[in-house]
Amino acid sequence: MTLSLSRLVAPLVVGLLGLALWALTVDVLGIGTFFLPGPGEVVTALGESWEPIRAAFWVTAVNSLWGLAAGAVLGVALAGVAATTRLFDGMLGPLVAILAVIPIVAIAPLLYTMLGTDQETPRRIIGGIAAFVPVFINTLRGLRQTTPLQRDLMRTYAAGPVQRFRTVTLPVAIPYTLTGLRVAGSLAVISALVAEYFGGVNNGLGSAIKNAATSNHARAFAYVGGAIVLGLLVFAITAALERLARRAYPSGESR
């Protein structure tokens, strides 16, 4: 109980200290609002622009979740194939390495040109690419964690492939998959934001940050605050799923 409370209190204390340092820096150095608005000005802008921030929040949330879901499903499916087929595993390795280093700022304009600037699909594809890599890598690692002793024991019991997968391989792999999902959630949000920033319909948080940054820095920071909240929510949900998986499948050690 004490450990859980400390995990909650510690980031809150750091956040409050950061806000205090921010406000003190703005007041002491006399930085103009145009360069760096104070926390009070950002809160005021948040109240004045609550409705557009909320609307943009949901647009980015939907894009992020679509990308996360698509990337996770594809990552788990291809990891399952790669774990059972050595040839396919060798083919996927270079592809995953390429996807891991694709710059969003380069691929976003290409997808907008191909699919249209009035579509949300390019943003979801970019989020899916970002989510795919950690889910695939962690799931593949989890599927390979069964020991020779476990496999020999299942053969001794004359267990079939489906039974071996259900009773040994899957419980070990699930925590690894959810660890990948936790990482993928944050990446999907960041990727969707960056994709929105560099084009497409002006309806998400990324687009709003870009537009507000040229005229109203306090409002831009308010939109950034909305993006931070979205990222924290996705991280908290995926981290909770990972924790539940550790409890349900203690045989699978998640790292």
Side-chain angles (χ1 to χ4, degrees):
M1 183 67 179
T2 304
L3 182 60
S4 299
L5 183 61
S6 65
R7 287 179 176 177
L8 178 63
V9 172
L12 289 176
V13 171
V14 172
L16 291 174
L17 289 175
L19 287 175
L21 180 62
W22 177 9
L24 184 62
T25 301
V26 172
D27 291 339
V28 171
L29 298 181
I31 300 175
T33 302
F34 180 79
F35 293 101
L36 180 63
E41 295 169 315
V42 175
V43 171
T44 301
L46 178 63
E48 294 173 349
S49 306
W50 174 252
E51 285 302 321
I53 291 175
R54 184 171 63 86
F57 177 94
W58 286 114
V59 169
T60 303
V62 170
N63 288 334
S64 302
L65 292 177
W66 267 105
L68 178 60
V73 170
L74 188 61
V76 171
L78 293 183
V81 177
T84 56
T85 308
R86 185 175 296 275
L87 176 62
F88 195 75
D89 183 21
M91 294 169 59
L92 274 178
L95 176 61
V96 173
I98 291 172
L99 291 177
V101 298
I102 287 180
I104 300 174
V105 295
I107 194 175
L110 293 176
L111 290 176
Y112 285 131
T113 302
M114 295 167 56
L115 302 175
T117 57
D118 59 341
Q119 301 293 321
E120 300 291 349
T121 306
R123 299 166 176 180
R124 296 172 184 179
I125 291 176
I126 290 173
I129 292 173
F132 166 79
V133 175
V135 172
F136 173 85
I137 292 175
N138 280 274
T139 300
L140 184 59
R141 180 186 177 193
L143 290 172
R144 291 174 172 170
Q145 290 303 306
T146 54
T147 64
L149 178 61
Q150 290 172 320
R151 293 191 290 270
D152 291 340
L153 182 62
M154 294 306 292
R155 293 192 191 98
T156 302
Y157 290 149
V162 175
Q163 189 176 10
R164 290 199 300 268
F165 179 80
R166 180 174 57 84
T167 58
V168 177
T169 306
L170 187 62
V172 172
I174 283 179
Y176 286 87
T177 299
L178 290 177
T179 297
L181 190 67
R182 171 168 56 83
V183 178
S186 300
L187 291 177
V189 172
I190 294 171
S191 300
L193 284 166
V194 174
E196 291 170 354
Y197 189 93
F198 282 99
V201 186
N202 290 322
N203 58 354
L205 287 172
S207 304
I209 293 170
K210 178 182 66 176
N211 295 333
T214 60
S215 58
N216 190 325
H217 283 188
R219 182 175 298 176
F221 272 85
Y223 280 111
V224 170
I228 292 173
V229 170
L230 175 59
L232 290 175
L233 284 175
V234 173
F235 179 84
I237 292 171
T238 53
L241 290 174
E242 181 188 8
R243 184 177 295 274
L244 289 175
R246 289 185 182 184
R247 294 178 180 177
Y249 302 101
S251 59
E253 184 182 0
S254 178
R255 299 189 186 278

